[in-house]
Amino acid sequence: MDTPERLIQSTRELLWERGYTGTSPKAILQRSGVGQGSMYHHFSGKPDLALAAIRRTAEEMRAKAEEQFSEPGTALERITAYLRRERDVLRGCPIGRLTQDPDIVASPALRQPVDETFGRLRQRLAEVLTEGRQRGEIASALDPASTAATIVAVLQGGYVLARAADSTEPFDQAVDGILVLLAQGAR
Amino acid sequence: MDTPERLIQSTRELLWERGYTGTSPKAILQRSGVGQGSMYHHFSGKPDLALAAIRRTAEEMRAKAEEQFSEPGTALERITAYLRRERDVLRGCPIGRLTQDPDIVASPALRQPVDETFGRLRQRLAEVLTEGRQRGEIASALDPASTAATIVAVLQGGYVLARAADSTEPFDQAVDGILVLLAQGAR
DNA sequence: GTCTATATGCGGATAGAC
DNA sequence: GTCTATCCGCATATAGAC
């Protein structure tokens, strides 16, 4: 791995663990084994490096979601596969956690990839739901856009509850709950 | 307001806005107008003051939720009142945001009030759902505990989506979505 | 490209006077 | 109880040599 790549990977890990405010350039240097001068040669500073790291994480997250959405099966099966996919629940969502960082939300450049990630995710889920409705797999009373927002919110909120409890149980309960509710509307 | 109280109120505000890591003793002193010496006279340090602040916020949150749960009306009406209650959506949940702070989660003392808040909230919602089921207002296929976890998760995740988008829209959509799903099961 | 040196101010306190 | 002084290390760079 070359130097910029090592910096990006270490920054991604630290942003996930400690957030933007909690991540110092010094910690990035220690974790990556890169020297001070190299870091400031390749990146203009902490915000620049963070932006590269966030973009990378956002791309990966999108690709992993698409794996489940593009599987064969009914809409409900694909949504179930997505919600039940293996996740590092107690670590939380590496993109969602950034929304709690005021420096991220206050910076248009840093917030943009976060916004886009959730926007596309909701959009993609709404498409899956629309297909399911057309095929009669999902109750036509359900609005795709708002149901999609609900599903994404259950995941993000599930992480919050799991971290509060230091247990994956409430996350799993929340996922079970939404799946039962969605199945209820199936024909 | 006396000195300890001023410190607690300022700390509550800062924890909400900037989280634990992002809140410095210096910022608390500036906002409260209290001097350095006074702060360390009344509290042993940042963790001690944060604990007092978090406990206060947790109490208030619990009391506000109970206002809606103890209203007259069906289970669905009370849950709707709770979910649609006026909220400072873009500021997020002052308790939920703490779960993103590694120093909070790593400290049993600081995590405890956060855990307890969500534990009680889920418990209370499950009671409301159980009542609703007994009265035939809610489909008996819905497990109260997991449905309660789902509802709380929708709220917490709704805040995340709203902050990502810098708009209350996805929060409102997520709430609409879960209410439609819950109503679907009503008899 | 990478290294080391240097800089300013903040984070989070402790000490002791009043 | 409150105030001011003092402390050490970290946060976040910039400068210039190699």
Side-chain angles (χ1 to χ4, degrees):
Chain A
M1 225 171 11
D2 63 8
T3 298
E5 191 60 26
R6 294 222 307 277
L7 287 165
I8 289 174
Q9 296 304 339
S10 298
T11 304
R12 289 180 62 191
E13 292 172 20
L14 283 162
L15 286 178
W16 193 1
E17 290 167 25
R18 313 210 27 92
Y20 183 80
T21 304
T23 296
S24 68
K26 181 173 200 171
I28 295 169
L29 297 178
Q30 282 170 350
R31 185 166 301 208
S32 63
V34 168
Q36 178 105 335
S38 302
M39 170 171 173
Y40 283 102
H41 174 75
H42 293 288
F43 297 93
S44 72
K46 177 175 162 175
D48 188 29
L49 184 43
L51 180 57
I54 293 170
R55 283 188 174 145
R56 186 69 63 84
T57 299
E59 272 169 35
E60 256 188 33
M61 191 171 141
R62 203 182 144 202
K64 283 180 84 174
E66 195 51 41
E67 283 177 27
Q68 282 91 50
F69 294 151
S70 61
E71 271 176 12
T74 67
L76 200 55
E77 281 166 355
R78 286 178 286 159
I79 290 170
T80 301
Y82 174 64
L83 290 176
R84 291 224 206 271
R85 164 184 107 192
E86 189 159 333
R87 289 166 189 277
D88 227 330
V89 173
L90 289 181
R91 286 202 180 147
C93 172
I95 295 294
R97 74 107 59 233
L98 299 174
T99 62
Q100 300 308 320
D101 228 305
D103 295 341
I104 298 269
V105 171
S107 154
L110 292 175
R111 188 175 60 77
Q112 195 266 339
V114 176
D115 186 9
E116 195 179 312
T117 297
F118 286 122
R120 287 181 193 266
L121 181 55
R122 289 191 282 135
Q123 176 59 38
R124 193 67 186 86
L125 258 171
E127 287 168 15
V128 172
L129 288 164
T130 299
E131 277 178 46
R133 249 176 26 154
Q134 282 164 354
R135 297 189 194 143
E137 298 156 14
I138 298 270
S140 59
L142 303 184
D143 172 56
S146 58
T147 308
T150 302
I151 292 169
V152 178
V154 167
L155 268 186
Q156 294 297 316
Y159 287 124
V160 168
L161 297 183
R163 286 179 63 92
D166 194 22
S167 156
T168 60
E169 192 193 5
F171 179 96
D172 293 332
Q173 285 186 322
V175 167
D176 288 350
I178 191 67
L179 287 175
V180 168
L181 284 165
L182 288 169
Q184 217 185 197
R187 298 289 152 72
Chain B
M1 225 172 12
D2 64 8
T3 297
E5 191 60 25
R6 293 222 307 276
L7 287 165
I8 289 173
Q9 296 304 338
S10 298
T11 303
R12 291 179 60 189
E13 293 172 17
L14 283 162
L15 286 179
W16 193 0
E17 291 167 24
R18 312 209 29 92
Y20 183 80
T21 303
T23 295
S24 67
K26 181 172 201 173
I28 295 169
L29 297 177
Q30 281 169 349
R31 186 167 301 208
S32 63
V34 168
Q36 178 104 336
S38 301
M39 170 172 173
Y40 283 101
H41 175 76
H42 293 287
F43 297 93
S44 71
K46 177 175 161 175
D48 188 29
L49 183 43
L51 181 57
I54 293 169
R55 283 188 173 144
R56 187 70 63 83
T57 299
E59 273 169 33
E60 257 187 31
M61 191 171 140
R62 203 181 144 202
K64 283 180 82 175
E66 195 51 41
E67 282 178 27
Q68 281 92 49
F69 294 151
S70 62
E71 270 176 12
T74 67
L76 199 55
E77 282 166 355
R78 286 179 287 159
I79 290 169
T80 301
Y82 174 64
L83 290 176
R84 292 224 206 269
R85 162 184 110 192
E86 189 158 334
R87 289 167 189 275
D88 228 328
V89 173
L90 290 181
R91 286 203 180 146
C93 173
I95 296 295
R97 76 109 54 235
L98 300 174
T99 62
Q100 299 308 318
D101 230 305
D103 296 342
I104 299 270
V105 171
S107 155
L110 292 175
R111 189 175 61 76
Q112 195 265 340
V114 175
D115 186 9
E116 196 179 314
T117 297
F118 286 122
R120 287 182 194 266
L121 181 55
R122 290 190 283 135
Q123 177 57 40
R124 194 65 186 87
L125 259 170
E127 288 168 14
V128 172
L129 288 163
T130 299
E131 277 178 45
R133 250 174 27 152
Q134 284 164 352
R135 296 188 195 146
E137 298 157 11
I138 298 269
S140 59
L142 303 184
D143 171 57
S146 58
T147 307
T150 302
I151 292 169
V152 179
V154 167
L155 266 186
Q156 294 296 316
Y159 287 124
V160 168
L161 297 183
R163 286 178 64 91
D166 194 22
S167 157
T168 59
E169 193 192 5
F171 179 96
D172 293 331
Q173 285 187 322
V175 167
D176 288 350
I178 191 67
L179 287 175
V180 168
L181 285 165
L182 287 169
Q184 216 185 198
R187 298 289 150 73

